């Protein structure tokens, strides 16, 4: 027995309607991937210092930026007042001595840069537009490295201007200033990559902060302890090779080998040119490796 569906009565009015709710098509220029990439870079860099965000978000990064500059101002004031012939702290040593401040800044801002997008699932919204995964990773990596470069290079500019005010040799100070900029450039790329990888592993900001701090401080503490033991047992070769296992000691070794910087290793004995080449290769490999890990991470994340 078959059942027939009721048919609409002949002549029944059609109730279908098309409502105009005000949406309009966009007829303007399409700015494309390059513009989107620049915009994401600019927004991420500004966000690293709380610009364009709430007043509360500006406090910590601005405070840390101020803390980074205070020792440089003190060094300059003393040099000018006492008419010193050289600065009491070299340009290449500045970031090494203030590594704790740099680590805290990175731990606070790297999760802010990527963890929020993961937590609130906004990553797919980026990829709905002309921007692609490679653009997203490049913009975030470049922004974090640039933020760290600003944090570490501004104090060096203060030191350089102060040395000129103290009438120190212009050529010598400019050369040392350039060496310091090379050092903090490598540091910014290395630390920025490590920080973003740690932060991108979890959508929870607190976990990201803890992971970044652990990656920087635990590795440095372990390497420093082992180097101290090696120094106490008169084993200088071990001191040099142990420096390969911490980000900050890697930077220390590279600038000691190639930039003429004094070493912060126990005993003041850093790597020579041969071992320094290994340090440089490890630094470059880590920078490329962290970038590659981020690219791999964002192939699937959020989709």
């Amino acid at each position: 027995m078959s059942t027939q569906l009721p048919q609409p009565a002949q002549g029944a009015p059609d109730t279908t309607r098309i409502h105009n709710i005000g949406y309009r098509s966009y007829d303007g220029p399409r700015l494309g991937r390059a513009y989107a990439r620049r915009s994401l870079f600019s927004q991420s860099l500004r966000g690293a210092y709380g610009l364009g965000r709430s007043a509360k978000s500006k406090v910590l990064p601005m405070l840390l930026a101020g803390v980074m500059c205070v020792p440089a101002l003190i060094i300059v004031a003393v040099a000018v007042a006492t008419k010193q012939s050289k600065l009491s702290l070299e340009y290449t040593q500045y970031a090494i001595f203030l590594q704790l401040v740099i680590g805290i800044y990175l731990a606070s801002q790297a999760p802010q840069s990527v963890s929020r997008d993961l937590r609130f699932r906004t990553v797919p919204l980026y990829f709905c537009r002309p921007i692609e995964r490679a653009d997203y990773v490049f913009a975030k990596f470049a922004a974090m490295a640039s933020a760290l470069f600003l944090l570490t290079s501004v104090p060096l500019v203060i030191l350089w201007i102060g040395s000129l005010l103290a009438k120190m040799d212009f050529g010598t100070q400019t050369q040392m200033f350039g060496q310091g900029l090379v050092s903090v450039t490598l540091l910014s790329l290395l630390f920025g990559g490590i920080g973003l990888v740690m932060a991108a592993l979890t959508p929870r900001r607190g976990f990201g902060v803890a992971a970044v701090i652990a990656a920087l401080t635990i590795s440095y503490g372990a390497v420093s302890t082992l180097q101290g033991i090696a120094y106490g047992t008169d084993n200088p070769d071990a001191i040099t090779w142990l420096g390969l296992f911490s980000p900050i000691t890697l930077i220390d070794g590279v600038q000691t080998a190639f930039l003429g910087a004094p070493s912060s290793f126990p005993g003041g004995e850093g790597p020579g040119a041969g071992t320094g080449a290994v340090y440089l290769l490890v630094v470059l490999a880590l920078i490329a490796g962290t970038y590659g890990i981020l690219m791999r991470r964002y192939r699937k994340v959020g989709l």
Side-chain angles (χ1 to χ4, degrees):
M1 179 178 179
S2 61
T3 303
Q4 293 185 350
L5 295 175
Q7 298 296 324
Q10 295 294 330
D14 185 2
T15 58
T16 303
R17 295 290 185 271
I18 298 177
H19 297 276
N20 182 1
I21 58 176
Y23 289 117
R24 298 177 61 186
S25 61
Y26 178 71
D27 298 324
R30 303 289 180 177
L31 301 178
R33 287 177 57 189
Y35 179 82
R37 186 168 56 243
R38 288 195 302 270
S39 298
L40 182 58
F41 166 79
S42 174
Q43 181 266 339
S44 300
L45 178 57
R46 286 167 51 84
Y49 286 95
L51 302 178
R53 299 167 59 199
S54 65
K56 181 180 177 181
S57 300
K58 297 179 177 65
V59 173
L60 183 59
M62 293 300 182
L63 178 63
L64 293 174
V67 171
M68 282 292 295
C69 293
V70 167
L73 292 171
I74 294 174
I75 292 170
V76 165
V78 172
V80 172
T82 60
K83 298 181 180 179
Q84 294 178 350
S85 59
K86 56 184 276 187
L87 297 172
S88 56
L89 187 66
E90 292 193 15
Y91 298 91
T92 50
Q93 291 179 297
Y94 197 88
I96 303 295
F97 280 96
L98 288 171
Q99 60 178 290
L100 179 61
V101 180
I102 299 171
I104 294 174
Y105 176 85
L106 180 63
S108 64
Q109 299 308 312
Q112 184 276 138
S113 181
V114 294
S115 296
R116 289 166 59 88
D117 291 342
L118 297 173
R119 182 178 180 183
F120 296 110
R121 302 183 182 277
T122 57
V123 174
L125 298 180
Y126 287 108
F127 301 156
C128 289
R129 295 301 177 186
I131 193 170
E132 296 183 0
R133 290 159 182 77
D135 301 317
Y136 181 88
V137 172
F138 177 82
K140 291 293 183 178
F141 194 102
M144 194 73 258
S146 298
L148 286 170
F149 181 76
L150 287 174
L151 184 76
T152 53
S153 64
V154 170
L156 302 188
V157 174
I158 295 174
L159 290 176
W160 180 67
I161 294 174
S163 70
L164 300 183
L165 293 176
K167 300 184 188 271
M168 299 180 188
D169 183 71
F170 175 80
T172 301
Q173 292 300 318
T174 302
Q175 179 183 0
M176 296 173 67
F177 172 61
Q179 293 170 343
L181 290 181
V182 172
S183 175
V184 298
T185 298
L186 281 176
L187 183 147
S188 300
L189 291 169
L190 178 60
F191 277 43
I194 292 173
L196 288 180
V197 166
M198 295 294 103
L201 294 177
T202 173
R204 295 189 176 275
R205 184 175 181 180
F207 290 163
V209 171
V212 173
I213 291 177
L216 298 180
T217 59
I218 293 179
S219 62
Y220 175 72
V223 167
S224 297
T225 301
L226 293 174
Q227 284 181 325
I229 294 172
Y231 179 73
T233 57
D234 196 21
N235 191 353
D237 290 338
I239 294 175
T240 300
W241 292 110
L242 284 168
L244 293 169
F245 298 96
S246 167
I248 195 67
T249 54
L250 277 170
I251 299 299
D252 193 330
V254 169
Q255 65 184 21
T256 300
F258 298 110
L259 300 178
S263 176
S264 300
F265 290 179
E269 297 182 7
T275 311
V278 178
Y279 271 70
L280 180 59
L281 287 175
V282 172
V283 169
L284 296 178
L286 284 174
I287 293 171
T290 53
Y291 190 86
I293 291 172
L294 286 171
M295 288 291 293
R296 185 178 180 85
R297 168 67 169 154
Y298 282 95
R299 284 178 185 172
K300 297 180 180 179
V301 67
L303 300 181

